[in-house]
Amino acid sequence: MRRQRRGAIARCTAIATIYEIASKVGVSTATVSRALSGGGYVRKELREQILQVAKAMDYQPNSFARGLVTRQSHILGLIVPDIRNPFFPAVARGVEDAANERGYNVLLCNTDGSLRKENDYIDVLRSRQADGVIFTTSQVSSRNVKTLMKSGIPVVLADRRMDLECDIVSADNVEGAFQATRHLLGLGHDRIGIITGPMGVATSQDRIEGYRRALSELGIASSPDLIREGDYRERSGYAGAMELIKLSDPPTAIFACNDLMAVGALHALEESELQVPGDVSVVGYDDITVASVARPRLTTIAQPKYEMGAIACRMLIDRLRAPGDPYQTVMLRPQLVLRESAAMMKCEGSVCNPGL
């Protein structure tokens, strides 16, 4: 037992410190610190000697201690509501790539839509001295955003907005929903059901606004019985579609405000022995991977997910470097992607039915 303890201690003490490197080279610890960090002047030959000795002694810098000195941890927090939704991994990849390009690491925090988990993650990020935080959660707590900003930790909202002064990057959700609804109207559908996200979420409100705006342009009133609230998950799309098709005057088309809910709607229609698009047309939103492999493949609105994450990260790092600059809002344009789930209404005499 005693021999094993000595071995463990030997392994621990084998990790060199800057004091040991300084002693070995015969210089001050300040000189070693400048050589290792690349900051300040050190003669080229001496710097190379110090680096060689540090490598030979297996020197590992203490990033936490370095953070206390520089007041930067080079850690960014990314808070997402549901990592199972393929939209968020695409955003996260954009954040991670942009962070790595600039020497930052990303700590991913998945809240599952829980405010309690969000609060816990905020405590973790503050204890880890995160330099900044990107929020993509569907119900961002303004209290948490204010707490971070008052602590000197900048915040960027990605695909979210609130009435606070901070940097925001988002796709134009009003425009995207307008494009989706206008496309269905152009196919001859004038009774269009919509399955929304949570009503208290800004993205949901924007997409409902775009839906209503497209209807209004053709003089069609938005009917409350055609609106079903979902939660951006597949099961709510299934439930919403089931309710819509059981109406005495069901819609001939359904606009689901994300692709997961659109897939849920497809399952409900298949289970009800309704053909898509032969009986009911369906349009989704986001253009995640499942949209192109669903049967039929989903007509949807593509969001620039990766770009959104990358831009959010760059905005956050820029904010760290220039905290006094004016806050920015970057709006990205979504794009309609045509596939097979939506089709022209087929009219026979005075009666129109959806069909190819």
Side-chain angles (χ1 to χ4, degrees), residues 65-101:
R66 184 174 58 195
L68 291 176
V69 176
T70 64
R71 297 188 178 182
Q72 287 190 337
S73 64
H74 281 76
I75 294 174
L76 305 178
L78 173 61
I79 300 181
V80 303
D82 185 1
I83 199 63
R84 296 170 300 177
N85 182 336
F87 174 84
F88 296 105
V91 174
R93 183 57 187 266
V95 172
E96 183 183 36
D97 285 353
N100 288 342
E101 286 173 4

Side-chain angles (χ1 to χ4, degrees), residues 187 189 252 277-279 343-348 351-356:
L187 294 173
H189 301 276
T252 61
D279 297 314
M344 182 75 70
M345 292 281 291
K346 184 178 179 181
C347 298
E348 297 177 358
V351 178
C352 286
N353 295 299
L356 295 174

Side-chain angles (χ1 to χ4, degrees), residues 142-163:
S142 60
R143 183 179 67 83
N144 282 336
V145 174
K146 289 177 181 177
T147 296
L148 288 169
M149 295 180 74
K150 285 181 180 178
S151 301
I153 301 174
V155 167
V156 173
L157 303 183
D159 198 36
R160 299 292 179 256
R161 61 176 171 80
M162 61 174 52
D163 294 328

Side-chain angles (χ1 to χ4, degrees), residues 241-242 244-246 250-252 254 265-282 295-296 354:
M242 278 295 192
L244 288 169
I245 61 179
K246 289 178 181 177
T252 61
I254 295 174
L266 290 179
H267 291 162
L269 295 168
E270 180 182 19
E271 190 175 299
S272 303
E273 299 183 348
L274 292 171
Q275 297 295 314
V276 178
D279 297 314
V280 183
S281 287
V282 177
R295 290 293 178 265

Side-chain angles (χ1 to χ4, degrees), residues 49-71:
Q49 182 185 1
I50 291 170
L51 293 176
Q52 288 174 0
V53 170
K55 183 178 180 180
M57 297 180 72
D58 193 27
Y59 171 74
Q60 299 293 325
N62 186 327
S63 60
F64 180 77
R66 184 174 58 195
L68 291 176
V69 176
T70 64
R71 297 188 178 182

Side-chain angles (χ1 to χ4, degrees), residues 40-232:
Y41 175 75
V42 180
R43 286 186 297 107
K44 181 180 177 181
E45 296 80 4
L46 182 55
R47 184 190 302 276
E48 290 176 354
Q49 182 185 1
I50 291 170
L51 293 176
Q52 288 174 0
V53 170
K55 183 178 180 180
M57 297 180 72
D58 193 27
Y59 171 74
Q60 299 293 325
N62 186 327
S63 60
F64 180 77
R66 184 174 58 195
L68 291 176
V69 176
T70 64
R71 297 188 178 182
Q72 287 190 337
S73 64
H74 281 76
I75 294 174
L76 305 178
L78 173 61
I79 300 181
V80 303
D82 185 1
I83 199 63
R84 296 170 300 177
N85 182 336
F87 174 84
F88 296 105
V91 174
R93 183 57 187 266
V95 172
E96 183 183 36
D97 285 353
N100 288 342
E101 286 173 4
R102 300 193 179 191
Y104 285 80
N105 296 308
V106 179
L107 183 60
L108 178 65
C109 308
N110 178 59
T111 70
D112 290 320
S114 164
L115 181 57
R116 179 192 61 78
K117 288 187 72 174
E118 181 180 307
N119 292 339
D120 290 343
Y121 276 127
I122 294 301
D123 291 340
V124 169
L125 291 170
R126 293 179 70 190
S127 68
R128 293 288 297 272
Q129 297 182 319
D131 293 334
V133 178
I134 299 169
F135 280 91
T136 67
T137 44
S138 54
Q139 295 181 340
V140 182
S141 165
S142 60
R143 183 179 67 83
N144 282 336
V145 174
K146 289 177 181 177
T147 296
L148 288 169
M149 295 180 74
K150 285 181 180 178
S151 301
I153 301 174
V155 167
V156 173
L157 303 183
D159 198 36
R160 299 292 179 256
R161 61 176 171 80
M162 61 174 52
D163 294 328
L164 290 174
E165 288 211 358
C166 62
D167 295 305
I168 299 172
V169 56
S170 180
D172 190 337
N173 288 288
V174 175
E175 172 63 21
F178 177 84
Q179 288 183 30
T181 309
R182 184 176 58 182
H183 175 63
L184 290 169
L185 290 167
L187 294 173
H189 301 276
D190 58 6
R191 189 159 173 79
I192 303 170
I194 181 172
I195 305 173
T196 74
M199 291 294 192
V201 176
T203 55
S204 299
Q205 295 168 359
D206 289 346
R207 291 173 195 178
I208 294 170
E209 181 184 339
Y211 162 81
R212 287 174 171 155
R213 183 180 297 179
L215 294 175
S216 178
E217 278 199 356
L218 290 185
I220 301 172
S222 172
S223 176
D225 68 328
L226 291 178
I227 300 174
R228 291 294 182 274
E229 182 177 5
D231 62 6
Y232 289 140

